[in-house]
């Protein structure tokens, strides 16, 4: 049986291994997975087009027990789009909010 060399510290492979160890350190992995929104909801929610749906996805992430690890991983991978760790990524960069499609109105609309 060949010897497998462990990943070098600081590499993406080492980070993934540490994340996996952190996740499996929980006593009940199935219970943990049921509290992770992206495992419980339709994944399309986290790649929504409308600003309202994006805010909904970000709200789902707020109570996630692995939110920080998810965000860190997405930053390292420069995820091209979607909600990761409670933040919206557009072209690999975190943006504050999703703009609606189309041109902005020239005048304010009375509500």
């Amino acid at each position: 049986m060949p010897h497998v060399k462990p990943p070098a510290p600081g590499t993406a492979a080492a980070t993934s291994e540490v994340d996996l160890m952190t996740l499996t350190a929980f006593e009940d992995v199935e219970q943990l997975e049921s509290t992770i929104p992206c495992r419980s909801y339709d994944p399309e929610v986290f790649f929504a087009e409308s600003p309202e749906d994006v805010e909904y996805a970000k709200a789902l992430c707020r109570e996630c027990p692995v939110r920080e690890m998810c965000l860190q991983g997405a930053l390292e991978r420069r995820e091209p789009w979607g909600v990761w760790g409670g933040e919206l990524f557009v072209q690999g960069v975190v943006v504050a909010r999703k703009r609606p499609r189309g041109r902005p109105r020239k005048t304010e609309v009375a509500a």
Side-chain angles (χ1 to χ4, degrees), residues 42-109:
D42 180 6
E44 293 296 318
V45 169
F46 300 94
F47 298 95
E49 289 294 323
S50 75
E52 296 83 17
D53 291 342
V54 168
E55 291 304 316
Y56 174 67
K58 288 168 67 173
L60 289 174
C61 290
R62 285 191 192 112
E63 300 300 319
C64 182
V66 295
R67 183 171 93 48
E68 292 297 323
M69 284 190 298
C70 178
L71 178 59
Q72 184 63 36
L75 288 168
E76 289 172 3
R77 292 185 308 273
R78 294 190 49 93
E79 284 293 339
W81 64 82
V83 174
W84 297 88
E87 298 292 338
L88 174 63
F89 282 74
V90 176
Q91 297 179 350
V93 178
V94 174
V95 295
R97 64 177 51 148
K98 172 94 173 166
R99 291 179 46 174
R101 293 181 68 168
R103 299 179 85 183
R105 295 181 185 265
K106 289 183 178 182
T107 61
E108 291 293 319
V109 176

